[in-house]
Amino acid sequence: MKMILQMEELVMEKITENILKHVITPRNPESYKGNYGKILIIAGSAQFGGAAILATSAAVASGAGLVTVASVPEKFTSINTRIPEAMTIDYQDKNTLIESIKKNNVIAIGPGLALSSITKGLVKTVLREATIKQTVIIDASALTIIAQENIKLKSDAHIIMTPHQGEWERLSKLGISDQTPTNNAEKLDELNPKAILILKKHLSEIYYQDQALQIEAGNPGMATGGMGDTLTGIMAGFIGQFGNSLDTIAAALFIHSYVADELNKKDYVVLPSKIITKLPKYMAKFSNE
């Protein structure tokens, strides 16, 4: 009841481009790849290999120092060809996966995963093995698995969930019309009071304990497959290099839509792959302001 009363009094804080100037800072001249995060992205399947490529490409382009993608072996050639900067492992090899989980400080799971006994095991393994020093980003199919299997969101790691409204409906049991700030905050508190919720929608929202934030960016040209996978990769890359904070998460969410808005000035449809290629340019712009 206390949470409900807090949220009723809470004003939704707006996220503007000022967050980018605050978070994206010039790099130290004496840097090496280990300074900018070790990212593990568990993604892809025989049917949805593109999701793994988009999420991994976004993590690399947004500045992550080292990126490993855990996927199915039949997708390794396409991943290695499209993203030579990333390493690959087979997520069906449980020992190798657990070893990789321990080595990385940000783990993103979900984009393009099939719904199977193997992927159900992946979600449980990540939640069990991740530690308090790590961040786990849960997206897409991983959220559906958690909802279908009634998996408890208990983990020592810092959890970030990135559902669109339909995925949040399955997870929270809130119909889209009932997804008000008060209800969203209450359900998040029930699922995991320490977790962060990023609700993807028109003017996406962030929820964390008694805080609610909303971006002032985005356009209908973004309504295309792979957009959420791209956001997951950006989120992982930002947290890896700038640290896990509400400001970092807000900046990752905002730059995703900001770059899309810039592209939408000329492009009727905004392709996720185009957002990815423009990320280094706009990060350089804001790091110097």
Side-chain angles (χ1 to χ4, degrees):
M1 181 62 69
K2 183 179 178 182
M3 173 64 75
I4 294 174
L5 292 174
Q6 287 178 334
M7 289 305 300
E8 286 177 345
E9 298 170 358
L10 186 66
V11 175
M12 185 79 72
E13 182 181 343
K14 298 297 182 182
I15 305 168
T16 68
E17 68 177 65
N18 288 331
I19 194 69
L20 302 181
K21 302 171 188 177
H22 173 67
V23 171
I24 304 173
T25 54
R27 289 190 164 188
N28 189 325
E30 296 185 14
S31 294
Y32 78 109
K33 57 192 175 185
N35 295 134
Y36 300 107
K38 297 179 180 179
I39 314 300
L40 173 63
I41 295 177
I42 304 170
S45 59
Q47 188 177 3
F48 302 112
I53 290 173
L54 288 170
T56 306
S57 297
V60 170
S62 62
L66 287 165
V67 181
T68 300
V69 54
S71 194
V72 290
E74 54 262 46
K75 295 299 177 182
F76 285 0
T77 299
S78 58
I79 292 170
N80 291 331
T81 302
R82 290 284 300 276
I83 324 160
E85 300 87 352
M87 298 168 282
T88 50
I89 64 169
D90 182 356
Y91 62 50
Q92 299 165 109
D93 183 336
K94 187 173 181 180
N95 290 334
T96 300
L97 178 68
I98 291 175
E99 183 180 346
S100 188
I101 290 171
K102 292 178 179 178
K103 289 180 178 178
N104 289 277
N105 56 298
V106 182
I107 299 111
I109 181 168
L113 289 181
L115 302 180
S116 68
S117 58
I118 291 174
T119 54
K120 292 173 188 175
L122 292 177
V123 173
K124 293 176 181 178
T125 298
V126 169
L127 290 174
R128 183 181 66 249
E129 297 292 335
T131 71
I132 194 169
K133 295 182 179 180
Q134 296 170 300
T135 297
V136 174
I137 303 169
I138 307 174
D139 184 37
S141 298
L143 293 166
T144 299
I145 289 169
I146 289 169
Q148 289 181 347
E149 300 297 310
N150 197 28
I151 297 172
K152 301 299 182 185
L153 279 169
K154 292 182 178 179
S155 176
D156 292 332
H158 303 281
I159 291 178
I160 301 171
M161 294 179 285
T162 60
H164 56 60
Q165 287 182 288
E167 290 164 341
W168 180 235
E169 181 176 11
R170 289 193 287 272
L171 194 62
S172 68
K173 312 304 180 187
L174 290 172
I176 292 176
S177 62
D178 293 323
Q179 292 175 13
T180 63
T182 299
N183 290 341
N184 290 336
E186 181 182 5
K187 286 295 181 181
L188 179 61
D189 188 56
E190 291 175 8
L191 290 168
N192 184 323
K194 296 181 180 180
I196 292 175
L197 168 66
I198 298 170
L199 185 57
K200 296 180 293 193
K201 53 185 286 191
H202 174 59
L203 303 181
S204 296
E205 299 166 350
I206 301 175
Y207 293 90
Y208 176 60
Q209 296 183 353
D210 62 347
Q211 295 177 271
L213 300 85
Q214 185 178 53
I215 62 171
E216 293 187 322
N219 62 80
M222 299 172 71
T224 185
M227 199 60 70
D229 307 321
T230 300
L231 175 61
T232 293
I234 296 171
M235 195 76 58
F238 267 50
I239 292 170
Q241 65 191 300
F242 301 124
N244 185 345
S245 72
L246 205 56
D247 280 353
T248 299
I249 292 164
L253 180 63
F254 189 87
I255 200 168
H256 176 251
S257 291
Y258 176 88
V259 175
D261 284 349
E262 292 298 303
L263 290 168
N264 191 231
K265 291 176 181 178
K266 294 184 178 180
D267 296 350
Y268 181 75
V269 176
V270 179
L271 299 180
S273 55
K274 280 195 173 183
I275 293 176
I276 292 167
T277 60
K278 296 294 184 182
L279 281 170
K281 170 186 173 181
Y282 285 103
M283 289 181 71
K285 173 182 182 293
F286 286 104
S287 73
N288 293 317
E289 289 189 355

